[in-house]
Amino acid sequence: MLRLGVNIDHVATIRNARGTPWPDPVRAAKLAEEAGADGITAHLREDRRHISDGDIDRLMESLHLPLNLEMAATAEMQAIALRHRPHAVCIVPEKREERTTEGGLDVAGNEAFLADFIAPLREAGCRVSLFIGHEQDQIEAAARIGAAVVELHTGAYCDFDTEGRLAERDLELEALRRGAAQAHLLGLEVHAGHGLTFDTVGPIAAISELRELNIGHFLIAESVFLGLGPAIREMRRNMDAARA
Ligand code: PXP
């Protein structure tokens, strides 16, 4: 079974462009649930550019699906996660100026810090996920520090596809396959995400070790044309077809 986590950040991006209460990301989460999403992902950024603290409060109160809270490894975010105890916490790299999350977390270079950082989250019962590239040393470090999950970054694979750099795309896909197999062998649950579209999801969904994909921007973009429910159902259909 390959789960689909729907990332609702960019519903909040549109809301925040006008400072209105709409569109409401919590309403989008409920619609995603009706459309067959298996989980909801929301990234509470340090600069609160999309999801707000109030959104997290309301998601925790009203959501039936498991919440995957994406956050940077900061003391502020750790305190928020410990207060809410969401089903999962995905640690992502975050820099203020970047447009989106570029590249994965350097677990190998910050092993002691991240081990200490995730320990209280694990004790609180959150499934800790680390958003990383497919490099062998990052996967090994994630296993050593006791993460339950690694989420492999599919951004480069998707960018190569969009830019028509097909040889590089295929090498990247092969590296993601190797990374997923290695992580699975080390006992990690393996997820993937970033930049996935109807066109790029198939080869990723076909990687048998993967248990979850987290997809946001394209689904929200496509919902302008199709509606959010149909966009999610079409993504699900593509994932299922690739697995079959
Ligand atoms: N997974 C992680 C860890 C992310 O940071 C993001 C982007 O917030 C996604 C998945 C979803 O990426 P996209 O919005 O490009 O589908």
Side-chain angles (χ1 to χ4, degrees):
M1 163 71 185
L2 181 62
R3 296 189 300 267
L4 171 59
V6 173
N7 181 314
I8 54 169
D9 292 350
H10 297 299
V11 178
T13 301
I14 299 172
R15 175 194 60 190
N16 294 4
R18 277 295 180 90
T20 53
W22 55 81
D24 178 10
V26 179
R27 182 174 169 196
K30 289 181 182 155
L31 204 62
E33 183 164 14
E34 285 165 26
D38 302 294
I40 297 297
T41 294
H43 184 176
L44 185 66
R45 292 188 73 108
E46 197 186 351
D47 62 8
R48 310 300 198 269
R49 72 173 71 154
H50 37 58
I51 293 295
S52 69
D53 298 76
D55 294 332
I56 300 296
D57 293 343
R58 290 189 303 130
L59 286 167
M60 286 302 299
E61 278 161 22
S62 61
L63 199 64
H64 301 296
L65 290 178
L67 178 68
N68 174 33
L69 175 64
E70 287 181 6
M71 57 180 227
T74 66
E76 182 201 15
M77 290 299 154
Q78 189 190 51
I80 291 169
L82 290 173
R83 194 166 73 243
H84 285 297
R85 298 177 182 226
H87 166 77
V89 172
C90 180
I91 312 295
V92 302
E94 200 179 295
K95 291 191 215 85
R96 236 169 234 274
E97 307 308 328
E98 69 195 359
R99 242 190 315 170
T100 180
T101 308
E102 317 269 6
L105 205 58
D106 182 11
V107 186
N110 297 283
E111 202 169 320
F113 167 77
L114 285 169
D116 285 349
F117 185 83
I118 69 172
L121 298 167
R122 294 171 60 196
E123 279 157 30
C126 301
R127 275 180 84 66
V128 174
S129 170
L130 302 176
F131 187 45
I132 59 172
H134 47 61
E135 298 81 14
Q136 193 176 338
D137 60 334
Q138 299 297 345
I139 295 168
E140 284 168 358
R144 273 197 302 274
I145 70 169
V149 179
V150 285
E151 179 163 333
L152 298 181
H153 199 311
T154 53
Y157 155 76
C158 292
D159 288 345
F160 287 141
D161 186 79
T162 305
E163 293 161 15
R165 296 160 65 180
L166 303 187
E168 289 156 285
R169 177 199 65 186
D170 292 348
L171 284 175
E172 187 65 18
L173 181 60
E174 196 44 48
L176 286 163
R177 287 193 188 114
R178 276 198 305 275
Q182 184 201 353
H184 179 72
L185 273 177
L186 290 173
L188 292 156
E189 184 172 306
V190 196
H191 300 177
H194 204 93
L196 292 168
T197 65
F198 292 153
D199 288 338
T200 50
V201 76
I204 297 294
I207 300 173
S208 62
E209 290 88 358
L210 291 181
R211 290 288 165 270
E212 181 174 307
L213 301 183
N214 283 299
I215 309 181
H217 183 261
F218 179 80
L219 286 174
I220 305 308
E222 203 60 16
S223 73
V224 172
F225 306 106
L226 302 181
L228 183 57
I232 290 170
R233 284 191 202 94
E234 177 62 13
M235 189 60 83
R236 180 81 262 168
R237 200 189 60 69
N238 279 282
M239 288 164 58
D240 292 344
R243 271 284 157 122

